[in-house]
Amino acid sequence: MNYTIALLKGDGIGPEIVESAVEVLRAVGKKFNHEFEFKSYLIGGIAIDKVGEPLPKETVDGCLSADSVLLGAVGGPKWDNLGGNVRPEKALLGIRSAMGLFTNLRPAKLYPALKDECPLKAEIVENGFDIMIVRELTGGIYFGERGYRDGKYGEEAFDTEAYSRMEIERIARVAFETARKRNKKLTSIDKANVLETSRLWRKIVKEIAKDYPDVEVSDMLVDNAAMQLVKNPAQFDVIVTSNMFGDILSDEASQITGSIGMLPSASLGDTKRGLYEPIHGSAPDIAGQNKANPIATILSCAMMLLYSFDLKKESDAILNAVDKTLEQGFRTFDLARTTTPLSTTEMTEKIIENL
């Protein structure tokens, strides 16, 4: 099979980790007789520097014409003082909207080889955990009305959260379908004791649940969920929640896996075309030093092979190669406490060897 993949390398360590992922995909293509064509486009801070905007039209067009998209990272201190409409992060919201991506899948798995890196007590993570967070991606407070106004105590800023029935229904169905393919257990997280949007969210999730009698579903308030993730993460299978809550909880979940450099993500819509990216940031402090952990980006490619291209054997090959590499004791700088760390390129080479 032949596939065209748009590369959005972005800023900071983005170019390094994307190049690592490209090398792995090339190795997969050689092993399984597939052809991957890669086309690079500007996004984020580098796009601002070169063309004056974080998401050029050429980038949007390129992503929409590709079979799938791989993103590195955007942003950095260099652009922190820019206005909200021209900040690098604005490109993320823009490309998700342009591609019609309303679902973000963020797995958080504790690899057996990394149990010692987990900050939780050993007895809590003795049996490990494997969580899939299903985050609504194009609604909520990140896309609501916002601005400044004169308030009772002077200048004030406001951000508005709104969710429609359609937005909640479609993300709920994705979550139920995901749970059905795993351990048939779904936790819906909201703030229904305070927020009207959460009360509507909870009502609609209960309605959709009637179509999935084989899935055990429960509700949990977001503050309790934040506590439960560190108290007993193994209780969760699939989590579904709103845009902002999902953003925060998935980052918390990343930390209990040992390193944020281990977590991939997939952003999906109504078509097979998806946007795949590691959940970590651009890490400008180590950019260009060949120190970044490429595994999250490589695992994002495994998700791409599975969700966009229906190549399960190829996806599993990457997952198994990463597992084996970690079991062999190889670590990058973020994980190496007792071993000599490998560089970005060295870790990539070990994973390719294990393919």
Side-chain angles (χ1 to χ4, degrees), residues 91-152:
L92 297 180
L93 303 181
I95 194 62
R96 290 167 184 166
S97 179
M99 293 178 65
L101 309 175
F102 59 84
T103 299
N104 186 235
L105 300 179
R106 291 192 174 190
K109 175 183 176 181
L110 180 61
Y111 288 83
L114 297 181
K115 281 186 178 180
D116 290 342
E117 304 301 326
C118 178
L120 303 181
K121 292 180 179 179
E123 56 266 30
I124 294 177
V125 295
E126 181 179 357
N127 297 316
F129 57 83
D130 186 354
I131 306 168
M132 178 65 80
I133 299 177
V134 181
R135 169 190 170 192
E136 200 288 321
L137 202 57
T138 56
I141 199 167
Y142 290 173
F143 288 87
E145 182 181 351
R146 66 192 62 190
Y148 289 85
R149 61 193 175 198
D150 292 328
K152 181 179 179 180

Side-chain angles (χ1 to χ4, degrees), residues 3 16 47 104 125 146 155 162 206 224 227 238 252 283 294 313 328 335:
Y3 302 96
E16 300 166 69
N104 186 235
V125 295
R146 66 192 62 190
E155 183 184 26
K206 288 183 183 298
N224 184 31
M227 292 187 288
V238 177
E252 180 187 13
K313 286 192 302 181
Q328 290 169 337
L335 293 170

Side-chain angles (χ1 to χ4, degrees), residues 199-230:
R199 285 189 270 273
L200 179 63
W201 181 285
R202 183 171 292 200
K203 172 187 172 183
I204 293 173
V205 168
K206 288 183 183 298
E207 292 174 2
I208 301 297
K210 296 175 183 177
D211 295 333
Y212 298 88
D214 55 325
V215 176
E216 175 190 347
V217 61
S218 60
D219 301 305
M220 186 176 291
L221 296 176
V222 64
D223 39 359
N224 184 31
M227 292 187 288
Q228 293 299 324
L229 272 173
V230 295

Side-chain angles (χ1 to χ4, degrees), residues 142-286:
Y142 290 173
F143 288 87
E145 182 181 351
R146 66 192 62 190
Y148 289 85
R149 61 193 175 198
D150 292 328
K152 181 179 179 180
Y153 301 105
E155 183 184 26
E156 65 181 24
F158 65 93
D159 298 276
T160 306
E161 171 154 306
Y163 266 113
S164 67
R165 170 171 286 274
M166 180 275 291
E167 290 171 317
I168 300 170
E169 283 183 348
R170 67 183 182 182
I171 195 67
R173 291 196 180 278
V174 170
F176 276 103
E177 291 290 342
T178 302
R180 180 172 271 177
K181 295 173 183 176
R182 288 169 53 97
N183 295 318
K184 296 181 171 61
K185 183 178 179 181
L186 176 64
T187 306
S188 177
I189 294 174
D190 57 41
K191 191 62 176 171
N193 59 336
V194 175
L195 302 177
E196 288 294 342
T197 48
S198 284
R199 285 189 270 273
L200 179 63
W201 181 285
R202 183 171 292 200
K203 172 187 172 183
I204 293 173
V205 168
K206 288 183 183 298
E207 292 174 2
I208 301 297
K210 296 175 183 177
D211 295 333
Y212 298 88
D214 55 325
V215 176
E216 175 190 347
V217 61
S218 60
D219 301 305
M220 186 176 291
L221 296 176
V222 64
D223 39 359
N224 184 31
M227 292 187 288
Q228 293 299 324
L229 272 173
V230 295
K231 183 180 180 181
N232 181 20
Q235 70 181 281
F236 297 108
D237 178 30
V238 177
I239 288 172
V240 62
T241 191
S242 65
N243 203 343
M244 183 170 67
F245 293 162
D247 191 3
I248 296 168
L249 292 176
S250 60
D251 282 352
E252 180 187 13
S254 75
Q255 289 305 300
I256 61 175
T257 64
S259 172
I260 198 170
M262 295 294 300
L263 272 71
S265 77
S267 298
L268 306 170
D270 290 324
T271 69
K272 284 289 186 180
R273 184 190 303 113
L275 174 68
Y276 300 85
E277 60 180 308
I279 77 164
H280 58 68
S282 61
D285 56 318
I286 60 169

